[in-house]
Amino acid sequence: DAGVTQSPTHLIKTRGQQVTLRCSPKSGHDTVSWYQQALGQGPQFIFQYYEEEERQRGNFPDRFSGHQFPNYSSELNVNALLLGDSALYLCASSLGTGRSGNTIYFGEGSWLTVV
Amino acid sequence: AQSVTQLGSHVSVSEGALVLLRCNYSSSVPPYLFWYVQYPNQGLQLLLKYTSAATLVKGINGFEAEFKKSETSFHLTKPSAHMSDAAEYFCTVTYPPDNYGQNFVFGPGTRLSVLP
């Protein structure tokens, strides 16, 4: 049973460019959340997708957008990259939106470096 | 707004010694609480969770945590540290069914070092 898979694992982008990160949830999971983890900090919630819609959003600008596909996989897009966007981007999946305290499972993350 | 504090950004213990990692939360409603561990260059792995059942929760790798509502705490303990326990530990909170969505709030993390 595959867990949460993310791609790419590492990438380097230039300021002003755009990036797309991809996530496949754990088998049987229908909800995907994205987190940004800056070096030495805890993960910060970006947004959550359920039934192909953004259900909740953290304190991130509109440059951060996403999408969920019918097979529950998801993409995170970041436009007009800034140096401060350099971080580990974590995808997490769960069954349902967490109303019963369901566990969320994390992928290994995508390391983004903006130069 | 909900928040999670973890006292001590870095904790060092000797191998075989007690591990105690502290977590306090601020919330007007009882939350669900989780501890995750992150090994270097890896994602996060669930250690244990509290979802309003027994207040003493046992997790993987010999870890356990106790929910104390009066102290708004959820400290993580392990009786005897092992070298392989060296990692970053995150306390995390989310909220019960009347809060739509699963908006986990993470603490800043505590780095555990285990000395031989």
Side-chain angles (χ1 to χ4, degrees), chain A residues 51-111:
Chain A
E51 294 185 335
E52 302 180 49
E53 292 187 9
E54 183 182 295
R55 297 294 179 169
Q56 273 208 346
R57 189 180 184 91
N59 188 25
F60 280 81
D62 292 345
R63 298 187 297 109
F64 290 77
S65 63
H67 188 77
Q68 186 179 36
F69 299 94
N71 67 352
Y72 307 122
S73 67
S74 177
E75 289 182 349
L76 165 65
N77 300 292
V78 187
N79 295 322
L81 285 167
L82 305 173
L83 295 179
D85 294 332
S86 296
L88 176 66
Y89 288 85
L90 294 164
C91 173
S93 77
S94 59
L95 178 60
T97 56
R99 288 173 175 262
S100 60
N102 289 344
T103 300
I104 62 171
Y105 293 85
F106 286 85
E108 297 286 307
S110 294
W111 284 99

Side-chain angles (χ1 to χ4, degrees), chain B residues 46-105:
Chain B
L46 178 70
L47 279 177
L48 49 79
K49 67 178 181 179
Y50 166 77
T51 56
S52 71
T55 57
L56 181 62
V57 181
K58 295 186 183 299
I60 63 171
N61 301 338
F63 285 94
E64 63 181 39
E66 185 173 9
F67 172 66
K68 292 187 176 180
K69 183 178 179 180
S70 61
E71 299 178 7
T72 60
S73 69
F74 191 57
H75 302 329
L76 181 71
T77 60
K78 181 174 180 177
S80 177
H82 191 273
M83 297 296 288
S84 61
D85 295 327
E88 189 88 18
Y89 291 80
F90 293 97
C91 182
T92 308
V93 62
T94 190
Y95 292 90
D98 59 358
N99 177 49
Y100 191 84
Q102 191 175 28
N103 185 358
F104 276 52
V105 177

Side-chain angles (χ1 to χ4, degrees), chain A residues 7-8 11 19-23 34 74-77 89 110 112:
Chain A
S7 63
L11 70 167
V19 67
T20 297
L21 307 178
R22 296 175 177 82
C23 172
W34 287 92
S74 177
E75 289 182 349
L76 165 65
N77 300 292
Y89 288 85
S110 294
L112 171 64

Side-chain angles (χ1 to χ4, degrees), chain B residues 6-7 9 11 23-24 26 35 50 70 72 77 84 89 101 105 111 114:
Chain B
Q6 293 182 239
L7 185 61
S9 59
V11 171
C23 171
N24 289 87
S26 65
W35 276 98
Y50 166 77
S70 61
T72 60
T77 60
S84 61
Y89 291 80
V105 177
R111 177 166 297 178
V114 181

Side-chain angles (χ1 to χ4, degrees), chain A residues 1 5 8 10 14 16 20 23-24 29 36-37 39 46 49-50 52 57 76 87 91-92 101 111-112:
Chain A
D1 177 23
T5 58
H10 294 81
T14 304
T20 297
C23 172
S24 293
H29 285 184
Q36 180 194 66
Q37 186 178 17
L39 200 61
I46 302 175
Y49 277 85
Y50 173 67
E52 302 180 49
R57 189 180 184 91
L76 165 65
C91 173
W111 284 99
L112 171 64

